[in-house]
Amino acid sequence: DADHVYFDKGKSAYKGEHLESAGELKRLQDNVKSGKVRPGSTLLVEDLDRLSRANMWKASDFLRELTGAGITVVTLRDQKEYKGTLTFSDAITSLIKQELAHEESRNKGIRVAGSFVKRYAAARAGEKVKVLLPGWVEWVSTTEYTLKEPEANTVKEIFTMAAKGWSYAMIAKNLNQRLIPPFRDRGKGKLWIP
């Protein structure tokens, strides 16, 4: 049932966001501790990296916490089952998988950060860079951009309202009441949200 489906969309397993107070995996952890998820239950996950992409020791602690509480963890990718006190083989396998996932996320973060540094340097040098521009800006040549109207005026209005102390919700409500569509959703009937 829906109470026993845990889905953390957009939360970083590398940073541990899914195990913070608003995370679904944190809800699972709390449900296991409270007994709502009883010993003998099985947790199905795509792979161990869905539980955590923290370093192998931290990730291993969470896996052992689950199995120690009587929860069987099954990884669907390789059909591996972790339960009870982990065997030496299971422990080594999980540690290697967890460390590989952690290293992959760490290396990806380094590459992405390096890419941003290069793009910012290129942009400062006047080169056109491949980035998603805000909805009120468009390229007019390989090195020049212009503000789109009426979108740029809407941005100015938003800043003016914010400077006057309007809340995000009040600004969104005002734009929706005036039927000003969000930039990327023109003609699709979407609304501004805080």
Side-chain angles (χ1 to χ4, degrees), residues 29-30 32-33 60-71:
Q29 187 179 41
D30 292 344
V32 169
K33 287 178 182 174
S60 175
D61 287 345
F62 184 57
L63 176 63
R64 285 185 289 110
E65 177 185 329
L66 290 172
T67 60
I71 307 301

Side-chain angles (χ1 to χ4, degrees), residues 166-184:
W166 289 39
S167 70
Y168 297 137
M170 289 171 54
I171 293 169
K173 183 177 180 181
N174 178 278
L175 295 171
N176 290 329
Q177 286 175 339
R178 292 170 39 215
L179 303 176
I180 298 173
F183 306 143
R184 300 208 189 284

Side-chain angles (χ1 to χ4, degrees), residues 5-191:
V5 173
Y6 304 90
F7 183 68
D8 276 312
K9 183 177 181 182
K11 294 199 183 322
S12 172
Y14 179 67
K15 296 176 183 173
E17 293 170 349
H18 61 320
L19 282 169
E20 293 173 358
S21 60
E24 283 288 290
L25 210 57
K26 174 66 172 151
R27 184 170 68 89
L28 166 67
Q29 187 179 41
D30 292 344
N31 287 347
V32 169
K33 287 178 182 174
S34 72
K36 186 173 182 179
V37 173
R38 295 185 300 276
S41 298
T42 299
L43 173 64
L44 305 175
V45 293
E46 181 184 1
D47 211 341
L48 286 179
D49 66 348
R50 300 299 89 200
L51 293 178
S52 180
R53 281 185 166 246
N55 70 62
M56 65 182 177
W57 299 116
K58 191 170 185 177
S60 175
D61 287 345
F62 184 57
L63 176 63
R64 285 185 289 110
E65 177 185 329
L66 290 172
T67 60
I71 307 301
T72 299
V73 177
V74 175
T75 53
L76 299 174
R77 179 169 291 156
D78 61 2
Q79 312 264 313
K80 182 82 177 127
E81 185 178 276
Y82 301 89
K83 66 190 226 177
T85 302
L86 299 181
T87 65
F88 180 75
S89 173
D90 288 345
I92 294 296
T93 300
S94 67
L95 285 172
I96 290 170
K97 284 182 164 191
Q98 290 161 332
E99 187 60 16
L100 288 172
H102 175 72
E103 287 296 314
E104 178 186 345
S105 289
R106 188 179 67 78
N107 292 338
K108 191 181 298 180
I110 291 168
R111 286 192 305 272
V112 168
S115 170
F116 276 110
V117 169
K118 288 178 186 173
R119 283 192 279 170
Y120 287 140
R124 286 188 187 98
E127 298 173 33
K128 181 178 177 180
V129 293
K130 291 182 181 180
V131 294
L132 181 62
L133 292 175
W136 60 92
V137 179
E138 65 184 344
W139 289 106
V140 292
S141 73
T142 58
T143 58
E144 294 180 73
Y145 63 88
T146 186
L147 298 178
K148 292 165 55 178
E149 299 300 337
E151 291 88 344
N153 286 332
T154 301
V155 172
K156 290 174 189 173
E157 280 189 65
I158 290 170
F159 274 86
T160 300
M161 288 185 268
K164 290 180 180 177
W166 289 39
S167 70
Y168 297 137
M170 289 171 54
I171 293 169
K173 183 177 180 181
N174 178 278
L175 295 171
N176 290 329
Q177 286 175 339
R178 292 170 39 215
L179 303 176
I180 298 173
F183 306 143
R184 300 208 189 284
D185 297 316
R186 290 212 170 269
K188 295 182 183 174
K190 302 272 178 147
L191 297 175

